[in-house]
Amino acid sequence: MTGEQAPRREVVTGEPRRVRPLPRYRAQAEIEEHTALGDAYVRSLMRGQLRAGITVFTVLALTAGTLPLAFAALRDATAVWAVLGFAAYPLLTLGGWWYVRRAERNERDFARLVKGRPAP
């Protein structure tokens, strides 16, 4: 091995080439093209909205279902009308308020997912 030299190193000086980033698939394109992934995104939004609706419906149905028991326990017509006329509306308002907030949050999270921004 006498007489063999290591190969000479070449130094390249010059402008580095600009490399274009590879195109990334965006969730919006997946949804518009109706791909399996896009359908999964839309199904997840629909599941979230359905879950919020069923939750509010269940709470209100259980509350309304127990009203006859409360009326039987009250045995006072004035109290029954007070419950029907005044006490039920704050619960309905609260349920509606919670549902709207939850639905808007689901849609905001979905929009962030589609735009490719992380959730806060």
Side-chain angles (χ1 to χ4, degrees):
M1 296 231 146
T2 61
E4 285 186 34
Q5 290 182 341
R8 195 173 127 208
R9 291 186 72 166
E10 298 289 329
V11 178
V12 178
T13 58
E15 296 275 331
R17 287 190 289 168
R18 294 183 186 207
V19 178
R20 279 190 331 189
L22 295 174
R24 293 180 7 180
Y25 286 105
R26 298 193 41 89
Q28 190 172 7
E30 295 285 341
I31 293 168
E32 289 172 359
E33 294 172 5
H34 299 288
T35 63
L37 181 59
D39 289 342
Y41 285 144
V42 172
R43 275 194 313 271
S44 75
L45 173 65
M46 291 172 63
R47 259 194 318 269
Q49 300 294 47
L50 180 64
R51 189 177 306 120
I54 288 174
T55 302
V56 169
F57 175 77
T58 302
V59 169
L60 292 176
L62 288 174
T63 304
T66 59
L67 281 178
L69 296 174
F71 296 155
L74 290 174
R75 296 179 192 246
D76 181 19
T78 307
V80 169
W81 281 108
V83 168
L84 284 176
F86 299 108
Y89 290 106
L91 180 64
L92 291 171
T93 303
L94 183 65
W97 175 81
W98 181 85
Y99 174 75
V100 168
R101 298 262 316 201
R102 183 68 177 193
E104 287 175 350
R105 188 175 84 186
N106 287 343
E107 290 174 4
R108 224 178 8 257
D109 292 345
F110 180 75
R112 270 195 211 105
L113 176 70
V114 169
K115 291 179 183 175
R117 287 188 263 158

